[in-house]
Amino acid sequence: MTNLADYSLPQLKQLQTRITKEIEKREIDTKASLLKRLRKLAQEEGISLEDLLGRDAGTIAPAAKRGRPTAKSVSAKTEPLPAKYCNPNNLEQSWSGRGRKPGWFEAWVANGGSTTALENAATVANKGRRGALAITPAAAEPVPKAPAAA
């Protein structure tokens, strides 16, 4: 066995990629082999594997079709998720709530801000009323009072 300390970082990463691919290949081959043996065993008993498992013949996918999605299906473009949180100070900054928290979100929470305010900002931004959050209470016009009934 080779000492891994002798490898450079790029060599280790390449080795890791090769190992991951080999593991996936062996898992697929093992599953395909096992499925083939199970079908043969079921056939020897006079029953199909699909009947044994209570499934239609089309629902048991070949081993190569199961498991991890292929790189082709992963890289397909998908619609971005709608914003769950928006920065009230800059509505262009939004976050769906998935993945790593953006810096503005963490700063907001660290400064004592509530996530509810960010959710409300996202609701306003998603409805297209971008100017609605630009008014601060100090800049808002006072509401005229109704004349007192005499």
Side-chain angles (χ1 to χ4, degrees):
M1 178 116 329
T2 306
N3 186 1
L4 294 177
D6 296 338
Y7 288 96
S8 68
L9 183 59
Q11 289 173 326
L12 286 171
K13 287 186 178 191
Q14 183 182 22
L15 184 61
Q16 180 184 22
T17 303
R18 288 177 46 206
I19 289 172
T20 302
K21 286 181 182 179
E22 183 64 26
I23 288 171
E24 288 174 359
K25 180 181 176 278
R26 289 188 188 192
E27 285 176 346
I28 289 171
D29 291 346
T30 301
K31 288 177 184 179
S33 171
L34 182 59
L35 186 59
K36 186 177 180 181
R37 289 193 338 224
L38 288 173
R39 283 186 195 273
K40 184 177 178 184
L41 242 166
Q43 186 179 15
E44 288 173 0
E45 296 296 324
I47 190 169
S48 71
L49 183 60
E50 291 78 11
D51 289 339
L52 180 65
L53 296 175
R55 299 179 182 168
D56 293 332
T59 60
I60 297 180
K65 298 288 183 183
R66 294 189 319 254
R68 291 184 140 182
T70 61
K72 189 175 184 180
S73 65
V74 170
S75 65
K77 294 286 181 182
T78 58
E79 273 189 45
L81 295 170
K84 183 174 180 181
Y85 305 101
C86 273
N87 184 350
N89 300 326
N90 181 358
L91 292 179
E92 297 298 318
Q93 295 177 331
S94 62
W95 180 47
S96 67
R98 292 190 183 175
R100 187 175 174 188
K101 294 177 185 168
W104 61 264
F105 181 89
E106 290 180 338
W108 180 272
V109 174
N111 289 326
S114 70
T115 56
T116 306
L118 299 177
E119 290 175 3
N120 292 340
T123 303
V124 170
N126 287 337
K127 289 184 180 177
R129 300 182 309 195
R130 295 196 176 267
L133 289 180
I135 299 175
T136 60
E141 302 265 338
V143 178
K145 293 185 178 182

